[in-house]
Amino acid sequence: MNVVSGVQRIVGHGVAPEQSASGDHGVRRTQRWVLGPIGFPLAAGALIALVIVSLSVSSGVVYHAVVYENFGTENVWLVRRFVAIGALVAFLYLLPFAFRGEFRVDRFLDNRPPITRLIMTWSYAFVALAIVAFLTKTTATFSRGWLLLFYASGVGAMPVLEIGLRRMVGSALAGGRISRRRLMLIGLPEEIQRFTLAATANQSTAEVASVVAIPASVIAAVGASTEPLLSDILDRAAVSARAHEIDCIVLLTDLNNVAFVDHCVAAFSMLPVSIHLDAGRLAERFNGISIGRIGPVAALALTEAPLGPLQTLAKRSFDFVVAGCALLGLWIAFTAIAILIKLDSPGPVFFRQRRLGFNQREFLIYKFRSMSVMDDGANISQAQHNDPRVTRVGQYLRRYNLDELPQLINVLRGEMSLVGPRPHAVAHDRLFEKRIGRYPRRLNVKPGITGWAQVHGFRGETDTDAKMQARVEYDLYYIDNWSLWLDIYIMGLTVVSPAAYRNAH
């Protein structure tokens, strides 16, 4: 099957136009009510802002009607205040997405809706609102009950709105109500076929409107006898790109073929288009490739360290302050648990075991002893359902995660974090790192007392590779999407989410 049939093709010396799928010979059709690269972000932002203002007004009216029982036409001035505050919250909420360029159509076609980021951004908007109110000395004019209701309604409404927008975008894209980026592909025929299949799979915002298939001999010999031939092909391709309203030129060639790239950029530099160099197989293996500099030398940045210096400092400062305050506030609980452990069974209060931490550095983890054994060798049996080794007090400690509290000491010592991938026994790490490909990457950040996998129910016994693989996927998602707000969110879920207590043996 020829995947590039039905588009404008330029091959060798001649130009062979073929009728496109729309029957217009590749020329962009004008259609009413089609959202373009500017119209779509404005429409999406306006819809989100309208929903936020509606939430502000509805929550304010409901709160005052229920609490004060006197909301009527004489309170129209309150509605104006609700609208003003809602508009300010909408602005604060939309601002981070706008700066990150996340109102592209492509973002609404991802498989994973960024629910956590939506909630974190919504929370940030209200923190920013509180700061604005404090600086303008208007905190007394706000009803705290209404703001809490407004915030809570948004926590539920923003993810629902995101899901609704994704469905609307999918339908609009399928119905031709959202314009697609028109691409011209330049390179070897086999590379054109590969890129076309990848770029137009499923719901795509791109369409291949024209291709320029160049023989390998011409590309390889740039600068020699083939240069006039290449210049002629590219000149005619530029004319075709202008006539067919191409948005983006994609060069499909080896990254080191600088001479060929220079010729192409020079040929298309007079057109109002973006020029992309396909990263080939690299783009399929690494997400977020960017250009980085090492001194004066430019290089492709395939991956970055999980946390930068400022992020590391922020996370460490947060851990130290919260862990220190928690230890001071929980000393009575520590004492009571220690007494119960000593009364229940013989042995020490604390259980210590070797674990691997950041960058696979070994440390001793502290836990309240909940079992009658103190295994820390080459072979360690995980706790199972109705395990006879678990003590009576240990059953309650494990059930409510209280056995993990002494790890606050590890946090203060800098060996662990409050939130991160859970550390496993060294014997288990050595076992699974051989069986699960990306397993060691969990230790690219400090391990945590709680984590993204744990609050989703992935804790307890990992008697199969599939269970550990699922846990690793959640751990890697946390590493790739870390933020201080995400840490706070996970800590909250650790306390209130039923999933965080699941599979505790």
Side-chain angles (χ1 to χ4, degrees), residues 111-383:
N111 292 328
R112 291 185 176 182
I115 302 301
T116 302
R117 191 189 307 172
L118 295 175
I119 296 175
M120 294 300 103
T121 307
W122 181 251
S123 301
Y124 139 80
F126 274 79
V127 172
L129 177 66
I131 294 174
V132 171
F134 173 77
L135 293 176
T136 57
K137 297 182 179 181
T138 56
T139 53
T141 63
F142 300 149
S143 168
R144 287 185 290 271
W146 157 56
L147 287 177
L148 287 174
L149 181 59
F150 181 18
Y151 172 79
S153 62
V155 168
M158 291 302 104
V160 173
L161 177 60
E162 173 76 12
I163 294 171
L165 275 172
R166 286 168 178 265
R167 293 182 178 178
M168 292 169 59
V169 168
S171 299
L173 195 62
R177 295 299 177 180
I178 295 178
S179 64
R180 301 174 187 267
R181 297 182 71 186
R182 295 172 61 82
L183 309 182
M184 172 180 278
L185 309 183
I186 301 177
L188 299 174
E190 56 270 24
E191 288 299 308
I192 290 174
Q193 182 167 348
R194 175 192 63 81
F195 189 92
T196 302
L197 285 172
T200 58
N202 301 323
Q203 288 183 319
S204 174
T205 58
E207 62 175 338
V208 177
S210 182
V211 300
V212 182
I214 302 179
S217 58
V218 175
I219 295 178
V222 173
S225 59
T226 63
E227 186 169 325
L229 174 59
L230 177 62
S231 297
D232 179 59
I233 294 174
L234 294 179
D235 287 344
R236 287 183 288 110
V239 173
S240 176
R242 191 186 302 276
H244 291 82
E245 300 184 24
I246 298 298
D247 300 309
C248 179
I249 308 289
V250 183
L251 309 180
L252 307 175
T253 185
D254 187 281
L255 296 177
N256 293 320
N257 198 342
V258 179
F260 176 73
V261 173
D262 283 343
H263 272 72
C264 292
V265 171
F268 297 108
S269 61
M270 303 304 290
L271 298 177
V273 297
S274 61
I275 303 175
H276 290 232
L277 179 61
D278 175 40
R281 303 300 191 276
L282 284 176
E284 299 171 4
R285 292 179 56 85
F286 302 98
N287 294 324
I289 294 178
S290 61
I291 299 294
R293 287 196 170 271
I294 305 174
V297 181
L300 280 180
L302 304 181
T303 64
E304 296 286 350
L307 301 180
L310 292 179
Q311 293 173 314
T312 301
L313 177 61
K315 187 171 176 62
R316 177 59 185 150
S317 300
F318 178 77
D319 287 342
F320 188 84
V321 172
V322 174
C325 293
L327 282 172
L328 290 175
L330 293 172
W331 70 269
I332 296 178
F334 270 59
T335 303
I337 292 173
I339 293 173
L340 290 173
I341 291 173
K342 295 298 290 184
L343 292 175
D344 181 53
S345 61
V349 170
F350 294 110
F351 166 63
R352 299 192 302 169
Q353 189 180 67
R354 292 177 303 118
R355 301 285 173 100
L356 294 182
F358 173 69
N359 205 19
Q360 301 202 29
R361 295 170 188 161
E362 197 171 287
F363 71 99
L364 284 176
I365 195 172
Y366 289 90
K367 300 179 70 173
F368 281 125
R369 184 175 59 83
S370 60
M371 303 179 73
S372 58
V373 296
M374 303 282 287
D375 294 342
D376 190 18
N379 296 300
I380 300 176
S381 299
Q382 293 181 318

